[in-house]
Amino acid sequence: MAVIGPIGVTLSQAEFVRTEADGSLFITTEELPKYIWFWLAVRHHQPRRDAEEHVELVDSCLVLANKVLNSLTTALSTGSPQAEGVPVSSIVEPSTAGKVLLSLVILGDQLCLARNEIIRYSDGPALHWDYPSFGTALLQEAGWYITNVENVPSYVAISHVWSDGKGNPHQNFLPACQLQRLQDSANALYPSSRQPVPFWMDTLCVPVGKDFRPARNRAINRMKATYKNAEKILVFDSSLELVHSTIAPEEAVIRLRYSPWSTRLWTMQEGRLGLKVYLQFRDKSKSFDDQPYQNGASGNLHVVDKILKSMTTQDLASSAPAVLLVRALAYTDQTFQLRLSYAQKPPQSNSEEEELRVSAIESFEDLKFEDNLHKTWLPIAKDLIGETYEPSWLDDQLRSNIHSIMMSPVVFHCGEAWLRIRGFSYHTALNRESGTDHLRSGFKPSSVFDDTARGLQGRTTSRIEDEPVCLCALLGIDTTPVLDIPVLSSRNKRILSSISSKPKFATACCKVGFNPQSRLNRCHDERMKAAWLLLDAFPPHMIFWNVPRLQEKGWRWAPSTFLSENTQISSWATVMTRRLDEGLLVGFEGWRISLKKHEIMQTSAEGDSDCVILQIDCPDLVDNDYHPFRRSWMRSRLLGPSKRWRKILSKHHDVALIVEHGRRGESRGVLASVHKEADGIIFTTFQGAAERYLSTSPLQSATTVFSGTGRWIDGPKWCVG
């Protein structure tokens, strides 16, 4: 009343008192906003002098109220009988008094805000309102988790398979016994920390139901950040919970590799984005991030050293391979000596020099061991091959191979399994040692594209339309545009699946223009296309991958899924490319072919088991022994149903065979139909994969041969649509 009354507004005390059904009286501020708006209206029509006098009164009232309320709050919080001369002996029930104080503090804070917004020509007093500590308790009772932003506690993210019984598609609920076990497991990861340890779990934290779809989409969009920011990921899998943590690390990882957890779609990002992954066993949880199988070749120098030390000097001298190994251990190159010197330097002011020094220090133990090998074996090498021997690049190459060759199949497969779980590129992309997220500081999503595609191979999901969402999350891309594409209802999915499972019925539907399988896949394909639109760079060799592809015009280069067990992704990208409106821009070599005719040597009755061969005639290469790679592609086999290829090649007479030099002599090809050439780019439409068919190979019993005149094109730009 002291604040608003003097402006000529009549206040009714009854409006600020609420009477309950039992006769209890409560102070209420439900009508306060009305009077604040009245205050604003009067202020705009009030003489300046009257306004200045009123604001002085308002400020003095607020200062007095602030002093009294803060003193009472302090007294109540500390239990002191008196604070700044204000008696508090009448406060006998802290819980009741606290609630009254909390209400008054909120009122004072609101009036301060109103004063500063309405009276803008002068600054009000800088007042800080002390909220009673039990105000926090009241918020916690209401379900809030209160903490300082700069002191967000560490939390554990739970990763699990819903089929193991820890999922709930209908509500955010789990039985109390399961919740207690989850909490105990999270607490066990921090035995000396404050309990209980906060944990996150999708079953409990991702909203479910149609009414919460926007909130659910936001939660899914934040999943990458949720798992990346978690200090520890705790994996629950029923196959691991049957055994004790004392099993060998190799067995534990192989078990996980072939467990239900490792074959599901959503668990992939949980394993790759986490800073530290722990596996829950029957007795306790355990991490395998620091096991030696992550660098299976790291112990090779120890093994070679041990083998050579088991031989006598006479045995070494009489064995040429042993002498070669001694040379590899005895002589080090300049690079090694430089790295060793960097590890022993003091901190450097130059950032590049300091980065080299830190890198050398991180591998100092290995460098020191290798230096000891050099000192041990150098005198022996001089005795065996003479003082004047000068090491060659072959010695360096052998030493490098000793470092990198994987000799143990157990360690090799274990390392492969762990890379599938944790990822090869993600270790660098997320910088797990420091916890820095390079995906947000200039690290390109395309840098982990190949690794992500490999990791998706063979995984399963009950909702195929989730694959593009998970792909975006793994690449660090906003999933909102993908989630905005609606999915089919469960009822419609069941109907379409039922129709597709009946071949005659499905064929009849297709004849009248309704393809049930296409309709069933439409959401997934549209979401996949939306995911590709969000990327700005692509590995060009993805046109050679053995994957199902989108069928929309201009998008046939783009994989429609990576989940197939038969997916083959056999190379890593070093150079990226971009997408044009008409397709993917690539720069591989290839043949431009003008088809002339085709000959059916013999066709099987079904027409499905025969082979389609593409024969290229090029007079310039007939009697020329040069360009063996080009010659090897003059005869190729088109992969896929022959009936489809005969239809395509009978329709398109200008085609291109785009080929890639693979590693270890491997080579893959793609056949595309050409439809135009402009600005140095040959625009094509992807038709299918091809492989070399060596001239010494006999033709199959049922073969269709298409022939044409070809022209080899070095390093062109193809747009594959």
Side-chain angles (χ1 to χ4, degrees):
M1 289 186 181
V3 173
I4 297 177
I7 62 176
V9 176
T10 303
L11 289 170
S12 171
Q13 187 173 353
E15 291 184 8
F16 292 89
V17 178
R18 185 180 74 245
T19 304
E20 295 293 316
D22 61 355
S24 303
L25 300 179
F26 288 84
I27 297 174
T28 177
T29 56
E30 290 178 354
E31 297 294 326
L32 180 62
K34 177 181 74 173
Y35 287 102
I36 290 178
W37 286 111
F38 286 174
W39 181 9
L40 176 66
V42 171
R43 162 67 192 89
H44 275 274
H45 297 275
Q46 193 178 28
R48 178 64 177 263
R49 183 170 181 177
D50 291 345
E52 290 176 347
E53 290 178 354
H54 178 240
V55 77
E56 289 179 5
L57 175 63
V58 169
D59 289 348
S60 62
C61 288
L62 290 175
V63 169
L64 178 61
N66 178 258
K67 181 179 180 180
V68 172
L69 290 175
N70 284 353
S71 297
L72 288 171
T73 299
T74 302
L76 192 60
S77 300
T78 61
S80 171
Q82 187 170 341
E84 296 192 15
V86 180
V88 292
S89 56
S90 59
I91 302 177
V92 294
E93 294 182 35
S95 59
T96 302
K99 293 177 181 179
V100 173
L101 272 179
L102 183 61
S103 300
L104 293 174
V105 167
I106 293 173
L107 174 61
D109 203 2
Q110 184 176 4
L111 290 174
C112 273
L113 175 63
R115 179 259 181 254
N116 290 329
E117 288 297 308
I118 295 172
I119 313 295
R120 294 193 172 187
Y121 58 82
S122 69
D123 294 329
L127 302 178
H128 173 73
W129 300 86
D130 292 335
Y131 281 79
S133 58
F134 34 80
T136 300
L138 292 175
L139 291 173
Q140 289 174 333
E141 288 176 10
W144 291 80
Y145 185 80
I146 310 300
T147 185
N148 295 328
V149 173
E150 67 275 9
N151 189 30
V152 176
S154 303
Y155 68 93
V156 176
I158 303 295
S159 178
H160 66 106
V161 179
W162 278 43
S163 59
D164 280 351
K166 297 182 179 66
N168 189 334
H170 305 296
Q171 54 183 326
N172 299 115
F173 170 86
L174 282 176
C177 57
Q178 287 199 29
L179 288 174
Q180 187 59 56
R181 183 166 185 267
L182 292 170
Q183 185 64 73
D184 292 344
S185 299
N187 292 347
L189 294 173
Y190 299 88
S192 59
S193 299
R194 177 180 59 85
Q195 307 287 344
V197 173
F199 70 88
W200 184 97
M201 186 182 190
D202 56 357
T203 307
L204 304 173
C205 302
V206 177
V208 296
K210 294 181 179 179
D211 295 339
F212 300 101
R213 184 169 294 169
R216 176 181 177 82
N217 288 349
R218 286 197 298 272
I220 292 174
N221 199 30
R222 283 187 51 83
M223 270 195 171
K224 175 206 174 242
T226 299
Y227 283 103
K228 185 194 73 66
N229 294 332
E231 188 169 77
K232 297 177 181 180
I233 306 291
L234 182 57
V235 174
F236 282 86
D237 182 90
S238 57
S239 62
L240 293 178
E241 294 181 77
L242 296 174
V243 296
H244 284 79
S245 60
T246 52
I247 63 174
E250 291 79 10
E251 180 184 348
V253 172
I254 294 297
R255 276 178 175 269
L256 183 64
R257 166 62 181 87
Y258 294 100
S259 69
W261 181 87
S262 189
T263 58
R264 299 296 288 172
L265 174 63
W266 279 106
T267 56
M268 178 176 168
Q269 67 169 342
E270 298 160 15
R272 295 204 170 192
L273 299 179
L275 189 64
K276 195 85 171 177
V277 171
Y278 286 78
L279 310 182
Q280 181 65 47
F281 292 92
R282 186 174 182 178
D283 53 338
K284 66 176 184 178
S285 60
K286 191 174 180 180
S287 174
F288 294 92
D289 272 326
D290 303 319
Q291 296 298 321
Y293 50 71
Q294 292 189 68
N295 183 10
S298 61
N300 286 348
L301 286 175
H302 295 266
V303 173
V304 173
D305 176 54
K306 185 177 180 180
I307 291 172
L308 294 178
K309 284 181 176 177
S310 67
M311 301 173 67
T312 64
T313 304
Q314 185 177 357
D315 291 337
L316 290 173
S318 61
S319 173
V323 173
L324 295 177
L325 289 173
V326 169
R327 281 165 43 183
L329 299 185
Y331 298 100
T332 57
D333 57 14
Q334 293 181 349
T335 303
F336 170 80
Q337 296 298 337
L338 184 63
R339 291 175 63 208
L340 189 61
S341 66
Y342 265 100
Q344 297 168 339
K345 284 185 176 182
Q348 303 292 300
S349 57
N350 182 284
S351 59
E352 293 183 0
E353 292 287 306
E354 178 62 13
E355 185 176 352
L356 290 172
R357 186 187 75 89
V358 172
S359 175
I361 290 175
E362 289 175 350
S363 59
F364 181 71
E365 290 302 320
D366 291 335
L367 292 173
K368 189 166 65 173
F369 175 74
E370 196 169 345
D371 188 48
N372 289 335
L373 287 181
H374 160 70
K375 294 175 180 177
T376 300
W377 290 104
L378 183 59
I380 299 173
K382 289 181 178 180
D383 290 340
L384 292 173
I385 56 180
E387 294 277 350
T388 60
Y389 174 76
E390 288 292 331
S392 70
W393 65 272
L394 292 173
D395 295 320
D396 295 337
Q397 189 177 57
L398 177 57
R399 182 169 57 253
S400 176
N401 285 339
I402 293 173
H403 273 293
S404 60
I405 285 177
M406 189 79 70
M407 300 297 287
S408 168
V410 174
V411 175
F412 172 78
H413 288 295
C414 194
E416 288 283 301
W418 195 245
L419 284 178
R420 175 177 168 81
I421 295 165
R422 295 292 272 151
F424 177 80
S425 304
Y426 284 82
H427 187 80
T428 303
L430 299 176
N431 196 358
R432 289 177 180 140
E433 283 81 5
S434 65
T436 303
D437 182 5
H438 287 299
L439 292 179
R440 290 187 178 177
S441 56
F443 200 95
K444 298 292 185 181
S446 52
S447 299
V448 295
F449 189 94
D450 289 9
D451 193 8
T452 301
R454 281 181 174 82
L456 289 170
Q457 178 185 0
R459 291 182 179 265
T460 60
T461 175
S462 57
R463 292 165 51 93
I464 188 64
E465 62 270 17
D466 283 350
E467 181 188 1
V469 182
C470 190
L471 176 66
C472 288
L474 285 160
L475 296 177
I477 302 172
D478 182 16
T479 61
T480 303
V482 177
L483 287 167
D484 285 343
I485 298 174
V487 301
L488 285 172
S489 66
S490 299
R491 179 175 177 273
N492 288 340
K493 280 185 182 180
R494 287 195 299 270
I495 294 173
L496 290 170
S497 297
S498 177
I499 296 173
S500 298
S501 65
K502 299 177 175 62
K504 291 184 179 180
F505 192 16
T507 301
C509 290
C510 291
K511 287 181 178 180
V512 297
F514 177 74
N515 188 328
Q517 190 61 45
S518 176
R519 183 66 185 89
L520 195 60
N521 295 337
R522 184 183 300 173
C523 171
H524 172 263
D525 290 350
E526 289 179 355
R527 283 187 163 193
M528 212 60 177
K529 179 182 173 182
W532 298 138
L533 286 169
L534 295 171
L535 280 174
D536 57 2
F538 302 86
H541 56 256
M542 69 189 300
I543 66 171
F544 300 109
W545 293 351
N546 179 26
V547 293
R549 299 182 184 272
L550 299 176
Q551 294 304 305
E552 185 178 340
K553 183 179 179 181
W555 289 91
R556 299 185 66 175
W557 58 271
S560 62
T561 180
F562 295 108
L563 300 183
S564 171
E565 191 66 51
N566 298 322
T567 295
Q568 293 179 5
I569 302 170
S570 54
S571 58
W572 295 92
T574 55
V575 177
M576 307 304 287
T577 189
R578 59 192 174 92
R579 182 187 63 84
L580 304 180
D581 290 339
E582 297 88 348
L584 191 69
L585 189 65
V586 298
F588 299 103
E589 301 171 301
W591 287 97
R592 178 81 177 268
I593 309 162
S594 178
L595 293 177
K596 296 183 296 185
K597 61 179 181 178
H598 74 276
E599 175 186 4
I600 303 177
M601 299 185 63
Q602 182 181 346
T603 305
S604 61
E606 295 80 7
D608 292 328
S609 60
D610 57 334
C611 170
V612 177
I613 300 295
L614 180 62
Q615 179 76 45
I616 302 173
D617 299 324
C618 184
D620 295 339
L621 291 180
V622 171
D623 298 319
N624 190 340
D625 290 334
Y626 295 103
H627 308 299
F629 179 72
R630 301 182 190 180
R631 293 173 64 85
S632 70
W633 274 103
M634 291 181 68
R635 199 182 194 190
S636 57
R637 178 175 180 264
L638 306 182
L639 306 178
S642 60
K643 187 175 181 180
R644 173 180 173 272
W645 279 116
R646 285 199 298 271
K647 183 178 179 180
I648 291 172
L649 297 181
S650 297
K651 179 181 178 181
H652 301 283
H653 302 289
D654 187 3
V655 298
L657 182 62
I658 306 169
V659 298
E660 179 196 32
H661 279 282
R663 296 181 302 172
R664 301 176 182 175
E666 299 172 355
S667 184
R668 296 163 296 172
V670 162
L671 190 77
S673 55
V674 178
H675 51 86
K676 71 174 182 178
E677 184 172 356
D679 301 324
I681 301 174
I682 303 173
F683 291 85
T684 68
T685 299
F686 182 97
Q687 298 296 347
E691 65 181 9
R692 287 181 291 191
Y693 199 89
L694 301 179
S695 58
T696 56
S697 301
L699 293 176
Q700 296 182 7
S701 59
T703 304
T704 302
V705 179
F706 284 82
S707 61
T709 303
R711 174 169 57 94
W712 183 264
I713 303 177
D714 276 314
K717 287 187 177 179
W718 311 89
C719 180
V720 182

